Amino acid sequence: GATPTTVNNNVTISNNVITNDGSIYLLQLTNSRITGNSISGGNGTGIRVASGDSNLEIDHNDITNETTTAIRVIDDGYGFGPNSNINVHNNHLDNNAYGVRIDTGGLTGTMSVNNNHISGNATAGLENASTTSVDASANWWGSADGPNSPDNTFHPNNPAGDKVNGPATFVHFVPWLTSGTDTDGGAVGFLPGALDNTPPATSTIDLIDASDT
């Protein structure tokens, strides 16, 4: 198809059901929202943030059983440069190869990945190959012990939840949600319970009874 020559502004992509098909492909999109979509079983990526995208909110989607990635942030080489200021929250990103994948050169500015249900992804729940820091705190990784990462000092180098790939300098996953219970009554997306909004502040163990209250 044709490559867009202008920036698309203030777009909402919502309430689609995409099964065994292609992805939502974002190119030169700004100040926009992708919400309420159910995407499953595709032979690729659920939502592809492809080049020149900025100020995006990706929230309350269910993206499952994709052969590669639920949400991928990449520069596909159209000459629009990397993507920036991406907010990914309150999504189910389960049983894919990757939950969230950020490629080398795909991201600048800021990116947050919070309050998502990220579980059962075969390669990694989150991988950041860029040199931009990602706030990946307050997610459910499939285990109350948090993600599987050498930087997880609560559960280091052991099978805990989904893997997080990328140096601690560029992926900040503490604190995390200690329960994956969804309280949204069956709606699309993920809403953690009220108690889950204050997960462990540090990934350390103590033997003090008073700290358990």
Side-chain angles (χ1 to χ4, degrees), residues 50-63:
S51 184
D53 299 308
S54 63
N55 302 323
L56 298 186
E57 185 174 11
I58 302 174
D59 68 284
H60 294 90
N61 302 283
D62 290 344
I63 309 175

Side-chain angles (χ1 to χ4, degrees), residues 99-111:
V100 178
R101 185 178 183 185
I102 303 128
D103 286 59
T104 301
L107 179 66
T108 187
T110 63
M111 182 168 177

Side-chain angles (χ1 to χ4, degrees), residues 5-212:
T5 57
T6 59
V7 174
N8 300 286
N9 191 37
N10 294 319
V11 174
T12 299
I13 302 172
S14 63
N15 303 322
N16 297 285
V17 177
I18 303 173
T19 305
N20 302 327
D21 206 339
S23 63
I24 294 176
Y25 193 91
L26 309 177
L27 195 63
Q28 286 223 103
L29 188 66
T30 187
N31 300 319
S32 297
R33 186 181 183 193
I34 299 88
T35 185
N37 302 286
S38 296
I39 306 170
S40 64
N43 188 26
T45 298
I47 297 175
R48 192 174 180 99
V49 183
S51 184
D53 299 308
S54 63
N55 302 323
L56 298 186
E57 185 174 11
I58 302 174
D59 68 284
H60 294 90
N61 302 283
D62 290 344
I63 309 175
T64 61
N65 298 301
E66 295 290 304
T67 58
T68 59
T69 307
I71 298 173
R72 188 168 186 179
V73 180
I74 186 171
D75 182 354
D76 270 343
Y78 290 102
F80 304 134
N83 310 283
S84 63
N85 305 330
I86 313 298
N87 183 8
V88 176
H89 66 91
N90 296 101
N91 302 282
H92 272 281
L93 309 175
D94 301 329
N95 302 317
N96 310 283
Y98 295 86
V100 178
R101 185 178 183 185
I102 303 128
D103 286 59
T104 301
L107 179 66
T108 187
T110 63
M111 182 168 177
S112 59
V113 180
N114 310 123
N115 290 306
N116 299 284
H117 191 286
I118 303 174
S119 179
N121 297 289
T123 304
L126 187 149
E127 179 171 289
N128 185 13
S130 78
T131 55
T132 298
S133 180
V134 173
D135 173 8
S137 62
N139 294 296
W140 169 249
W141 299 100
S143 169
D145 288 342
N148 187 350
S149 167
D151 298 312
N152 182 349
T153 57
F154 179 73
H155 208 90
N157 300 307
N158 290 303
D162 278 18
K163 287 184 178 179
V164 169
N165 295 334
T169 306
F170 299 123
V171 181
H172 304 284
F173 56 75
V174 177
W176 56 77
L177 298 180
T178 56
S179 171
T181 300
D182 191 349
T183 65
D184 66 4
V188 177
F190 174 62
L191 184 65
L195 294 178
D196 295 338
N197 291 325
T198 54
T202 62
S203 54
T204 59
I205 301 172
D206 68 71
L207 300 177
I208 303 172
D209 288 342
S211 70
D212 298 332

